[in-house]
Amino acid sequence: MIELEGVSKSFVQDRNRVPALRGVSLSIGKGEFYVLLGASGCGKTTTLRIVAGLERPDTGTVSIDGRQVFDHTAGTWVGPEERPQAMVFQSYALWPHMTIRQNIAFPLRRGVRRAAKDEVAARVDEALELFRLTEQADRRVTQLSGGQQQRVALARALALRPKVLLMDEPLSNLDAGLRMDLRLELKELSRRTGITCLLVTHDQEEAMMLADRVGIMQGGGIVQEGAPDELYNAPASEFVATFLDHMNLIRSASVTAGDTDGAEITASGQRLRLGPGDHRVGTTLTVGIRPDDVVIVVDPLSGSAPATNLVTGRPIDHHYLGGHFLHRVETPFGLLNVRSPIGPDRFASGTVCLQLPAERLITMASARPAPESAEHGEDEPDRAVPPAGSARQ
């Protein structure tokens, strides 16, 4: 439904051209909910605006529903009003002097996608029912809560019956409870309508909850994409691993032995066992483990205690997260974060024994300095940067 091939874009800053996108290619299938995830300035909003036709790329091609809407070489350009899409912004962009019904109807009565009077009424009623706004239809939008106003913006977009719904951080202005409610509604809306959704966010939880596939952006390129559980359990780089959940990293781990069942590594004078994988003796790895996967061994001297991958550390501090604690423990590998239901009262001795299960250790590529990127509407860098890669389905 959406295809980008080799799309680049730069903006002028202090008389210099500063890259925002660097050869981005991606493919989004019909009915798929795709999320672009990244920090401010990574290029995600610029990518969305290029799909929408609000920015013209410097290079590459863009297609929507099999129709080429931009081709740098051929000079093809289709304006945003002629693309089969609707867009929902971070700000609700509603007319304050109009009612809910009038706001939803407005784009159906103006522009290239205007409809007949009877059809406008039918579509507005359908959108009102879809978002449970029928009873408030004749209220002015200034009388609504933030969550209701965002529902009106979504209803207005869906009333156009687009093939593609584009969303630029639409939930970021809402409080935590409303965000969760609208995430559930968006997921259900996508499932029921079968519409193709492209959403931009910096919120990892939101991306993981909503997406069929996530594309993680850094420095103007997509550095990894895949299903949420795939990215979480098999990050391809230190950046992806730490961006998603502040993974504990053990760097400069040397592979000292290996067999069909796994490998043995040495880091900071400690030996650890890895699960099966392609680990060649003599190579150096970065090894990661999620805070949830670190096991607190309550009684290391008991007969039932694990025998491998044990490390002793000194608790630094503890933070209550509601049902779980986040413990920070100083170990020979450095500071490790541990999420566990076990409270700090079990650490009265001043030391704690941790296990790093072999099957939960993840090996990955070492980090390299992240290139900066100027994203339209986000923080821009002071200088140009070396190229970053992109990803395809």
Side-chain angles (χ1 to χ4, degrees), residues 364-375:
M364 66 196 76
S366 296
R368 57 193 177 104
E372 295 177 278
S373 172
E375 183 169 354

Side-chain angles (χ1 to χ4, degrees), residues 185-240:
E185 290 187 22
L186 275 177
K187 189 74 171 178
E188 177 62 16
L189 173 73
S190 172
R191 187 192 65 80
R192 279 193 292 162
T193 63
I195 193 171
T196 302
C197 297
L198 174 58
L199 179 141
V200 159
T201 185
H202 64 273
D203 188 318
Q204 295 93 328
E205 182 181 274
E206 184 168 293
M208 293 297 184
M209 184 173 178
L210 288 173
D212 297 316
R213 266 191 315 138
V214 177
I216 297 181
M217 296 197 72
Q218 180 192 26
I222 299 176
V223 294
Q224 189 176 355
E225 66 175 354
D229 59 339
E230 175 188 337
L231 296 179
Y232 189 84
N233 294 314
S237 66
E238 290 185 25
F239 170 77
V240 174

Side-chain angles (χ1 to χ4, degrees), residues 273-276 309 355-362:
R273 185 77 184 172
L274 298 179
N309 289 13
Q355 189 203 19
L356 313 183
E359 67 275 10
R360 306 308 298 172
L361 293 174
I362 300 169

Side-chain angles (χ1 to χ4, degrees), residues 20-312:
L21 295 183
R22 307 164 181 276
V24 170
S25 297
L26 64 86
S27 176
I28 302 174
K30 183 177 180 180
E32 186 174 20
F33 202 126
Y34 190 98
V35 176
L36 285 173
L37 175 65
S40 295
C42 69
K44 59 188 186 297
T45 294
T46 299
T47 303
L48 187 78
R49 291 174 62 85
I50 283 173
V51 174
L54 302 177
E55 299 286 356
R56 189 186 293 259
D58 300 329
T59 64
T61 63
V62 180
S63 298
I64 301 177
D65 193 26
R67 180 189 181 189
Q68 199 165 75
V69 295
F70 172 78
D71 186 330
H72 172 72
T73 304
T76 304
W77 173 257
V78 176
E81 70 283 355
E82 298 179 33
R83 301 185 184 192
Q85 65 192 21
M87 189 163 180
V88 178
F89 297 90
Q90 182 175 347
S91 60
Y92 312 131
L94 301 175
W95 296 100
H97 64 286
M98 292 183 181
T99 65
I100 294 174
R101 187 185 301 277
Q102 290 169 335
N103 265 280
I104 296 173
F106 185 82
L108 296 172
R109 293 172 174 160
R110 302 286 191 276
V112 297
R113 285 190 271 182
R114 61 181 177 270
K117 185 176 181 179
D118 291 346
E119 187 177 356
V120 170
R123 288 202 202 178
V124 170
D125 287 342
E126 179 184 326
L128 288 168
E129 184 177 352
L130 185 65
F131 287 93
R132 304 191 306 279
L133 293 167
T134 303
E135 293 183 4
Q136 297 92 9
D138 296 316
R139 294 175 62 185
R140 289 199 176 186
V141 294
T142 51
Q143 299 174 297
L144 305 178
S145 67
Q148 289 173 319
Q149 289 188 50
Q150 193 58 285
R151 285 190 181 93
V152 175
L154 286 164
R156 181 179 58 188
L158 268 293
L160 291 168
R161 294 182 180 170
K163 294 181 179 179
V164 171
L165 179 61
L166 307 175
M167 294 172 280
D168 186 7
E169 306 209 44
L171 310 182
S172 60
N173 288 335
L174 305 178
D175 62 49
L178 281 175
R179 278 203 307 272
M180 179 58 72
D181 290 342
L182 276 177
R183 283 174 195 166
L184 294 170
E185 290 187 22
L186 275 177
K187 189 74 171 178
E188 177 62 16
L189 173 73
S190 172
R191 187 192 65 80
R192 279 193 292 162
T193 63
I195 193 171
T196 302
C197 297
L198 174 58
L199 179 141
V200 159
T201 185
H202 64 273
D203 188 318
Q204 295 93 328
E205 182 181 274
E206 184 168 293
M208 293 297 184
M209 184 173 178
L210 288 173
D212 297 316
R213 266 191 315 138
V214 177
I216 297 181
M217 296 197 72
Q218 180 192 26
I222 299 176
V223 294
Q224 189 176 355
E225 66 175 354
D229 59 339
E230 175 188 337
L231 296 179
Y232 189 84
N233 294 314
S237 66
E238 290 185 25
F239 170 77
V240 174
T242 54
F243 184 77
L244 289 178
D245 190 31
H246 302 290
M247 179 180 280
N248 296 305
L249 297 178
I250 301 171
R251 297 184 174 90
S252 302
S254 300
V255 181
T256 53
D259 53 41
T260 55
D261 295 326
E264 185 179 274
I265 61 171
T266 300
S268 303
Q270 304 283 312
R271 291 184 179 181
L272 290 175
R273 185 77 184 172
L274 298 179
D278 184 18
H279 310 303
R280 290 179 294 171
V281 174
T283 58
T284 301
L285 305 172
T286 294
V287 178
I289 186 167
R290 299 282 179 198
D292 301 272
D293 293 330
V294 179
V295 178
I296 297 174
V297 183
V298 176
D299 187 2
L301 300 179
S302 70
S304 60
T308 60
N309 289 13
L310 298 179
V311 60
T312 300

